[in-house]
Every structure is written in C-alpha cells, then in structure tokens.
Amino acid sequence: MKIATFNVNNVNKRLPVLLGWLKAAKPDIVCLQELKAAQDDFPEAALLKAGYSAAWVGQKTWNGVAILARKRAEIVVTRRALPGDAKDLQSRYLEAAVAGMIVGCLYAPNGNPQPGPKFQYKLAWMKRLNRHAAKLLKSGVPVVLAGDFNVVPTPADIYPTRSWDKDALLQPEPRALFAALLKQGWTDALRALHPEQAPYTFWTYWRNRFERDHGLRIDHLLLDPASAQRLARGGVDRAIRGAPDASDHAPAWIVLK
C-alpha cells in the first residue's frame, strides 16, 4: 500500500499538476494540505474521474485538508477537527478509516512571526496533536499521521544556512514537541528509510532555492510501531516541485508491505 502526503498550495490552481502526479505515481492513499478552497469548491468530480474518492474539510482562502483513496475506495471519516479546542475553527485536521488504517491528515500552523500569538497558537495546536496521537497509539489500530507538520525536526533536515534561524519552523519548542511525538512510539518513516540524508519536501519560491536544492523537510509520515514494521520504501517526488506553476512542496510517500 502506497501512502503519500502533498501540500498542494491551492488545490484548484494546481489541479493539473495534482492529476498528472496521481496518474503517474498511483498512490493508494493521499493526504492533501493547504487546499485554499471553500467546502463547496473542492474538485471532487475531477478526482472521481481520475479514480479517487475524497473526503475534505475546506476553508475559503486558507488552510484545508483532504484524504483521497485510489479506486474510489471507501473513506469513513472519524474526525473533522483536532480535539481539544472547540473554538478553533481553522481547517487543519481530518481523520478517517481507509483500507484498514486510520489516516490522520494534518496541516500544522506555520507559527510566524515569532514570538507572538501565531507562534503560541502553533505550540498549543501541536500539544493538542500530541495528546490525540497518544490516544491513537493506545488504540492499537494501524495509524499513519501524514501531512505538513511545519517543523524542521533537526539541523539535518534543512540545507546549510543561518537564514532560517529565527523562523518558527526551526525553534526549540516545536522541535521538542515533534521529538515528543517520536518518543511516544511513532516512527518518522522517511528518516527511518534515509537515516543519513532524508530528502527535502519544501523549497521556497525565492532566490532559486529549488534549483539550488536549498530545501527543508517539513512534510512527514509518522507510523505506529506495528505499521512501521511493514515499512518497505519511500521517498519524495522532487520533480513535481519543478513542474510549471507547481506548489512549493513535493509529494512525500511510503510503501507498506
């Protein structure tokens, strides 16, 4: 089973790129982030035509997450929001049962500028994620948490630079919260498969960062212990980032035996 995560950075604007990638890569389950589309504006018909069923939580202009399933497999939604704060109306989390797994699709807050309220929201959101992730682990069911975590876990997950030192993605607090997730028992799949040099997933549009491979690894797939034993291979479809009018992210994927 092939599972992928892809921050599409506007699903309607990037729809041709997304459909082309789906046709070529044939992932069985896909988590999408940053739809930037209202609930009624999601391109469900085009995805059905491409052979994918979909569940999504949209939001006009910003955020938005979706789960796709190949061969129009059934998606049973179990959560449409991250628990812990009923006042949080941002569309950042979707959870569903698909093909025998619980799939948590997430788009964590960016947190910039920091310090400030956006950074505090980021930390509070990640703490809620950690609490919910612990409960998912205790359930004993196969789980993947996939998406844009907006965290560069370690200095090895960014090109050599000091220009990002003050960015929210690299601060000690979100890094510690991500590390705490792994300490719960989750496996960072791409790091496990590529211990020396896990591939980048994001390159800004500025200063030819993609062409120079000045990237960051902020899109992650975390597996429960039993699912981690099934991990066979994985990578990043870097070429998608170089397509015309592409997202600033590339799809990351894994294959479970």
Side-chain angles (χ1 to χ4, degrees):
M1 180 165 56
K2 187 175 185 179
I3 306 171
T5 182
F6 186 14
N7 180 323
V8 289
N9 190 11
N10 194 319
V11 68
N12 287 303
K13 184 177 180 180
R14 321 287 182 196
L15 187 58
V17 174
L18 174 61
L19 293 175
W21 170 71
L22 290 172
K23 183 177 181 180
K26 295 180 174 59
D28 298 295
I29 299 171
V30 184
C31 292
L32 300 179
Q33 303 85 40
E34 225 175 334
L35 304 179
K36 295 183 177 179
Q39 189 72 12
D40 293 341
D41 293 334
F42 185 80
E44 181 182 22
L47 290 164
L48 281 171
K49 187 176 180 180
Y52 283 84
S53 53
W56 67 95
V57 181
Q59 184 175 340
K60 186 178 180 181
T61 308
W62 308 108
N63 306 322
V65 288
I67 296 173
L68 313 182
R70 189 168 171 248
K71 296 182 179 179
R72 302 182 183 180
E74 184 179 14
I75 301 172
V76 180
V77 174
T78 54
R79 288 189 181 274
R80 293 186 177 273
L82 189 65
D85 185 356
K87 295 180 181 179
D88 184 1
L89 301 180
Q90 296 191 29
S91 299
R92 294 186 175 276
Y93 188 80
L94 178 64
E95 187 178 293
V98 189
M101 289 195 77
I102 293 295
V103 179
C105 174
L106 63 99
Y107 175 48
N110 177 280
N112 285 302
Q114 72 85 27
K118 291 186 177 181
F119 188 64
Q120 292 307 311
Y121 170 62
K122 177 188 185 75
L123 298 182
W125 195 94
M126 291 187 68
K127 289 175 183 176
R128 288 162 53 204
L129 174 66
N130 285 23
R131 289 194 295 269
H132 183 57
K135 292 179 180 179
L136 287 173
L137 272 186
K138 288 180 182 178
S139 73
V141 300
V143 185
V144 57
L145 295 175
D148 180 355
F149 284 70
N150 265 319
V151 177
V152 176
T154 73
D157 296 301
I158 184 172
Y159 69 99
T161 182
R162 299 296 303 274
S163 61
W164 289 80
D165 284 1
K166 295 183 179 180
D167 195 277
L169 278 62
L170 278 72
Q171 296 313 299
E173 298 94 333
R175 279 180 164 175
L177 287 166
F178 187 86
L181 267 179
L182 303 186
K183 194 173 181 180
Q184 288 181 3
W186 298 94
T187 292
D188 177 350
L190 288 183
R191 175 57 66 191
L193 290 166
H194 305 279
E196 299 300 321
Q197 190 172 3
Y200 301 141
T201 64
F202 169 82
W203 301 257
T204 72
Y205 294 123
W206 321 322
R207 301 174 185 172
N208 296 317
R209 293 274 171 82
F210 175 68
E211 291 76 9
R212 298 157 66 189
D213 200 28
H214 286 181
L216 292 69
R217 192 172 74 96
I218 59 176
D219 304 274
H220 310 295
L221 299 106
L222 305 188
L223 296 171
D224 71 278
S227 298
Q229 295 297 315
R230 300 166 51 202
L231 184 58
R233 61 185 188 277
V236 173
D237 290 339
R238 187 183 185 279
I240 300 302
R241 172 61 178 81
D245 201 26
S247 168
D248 42 9
H249 296 248
W253 56 271
I254 57 173
V255 173
L256 302 182
K257 292 181 286 187

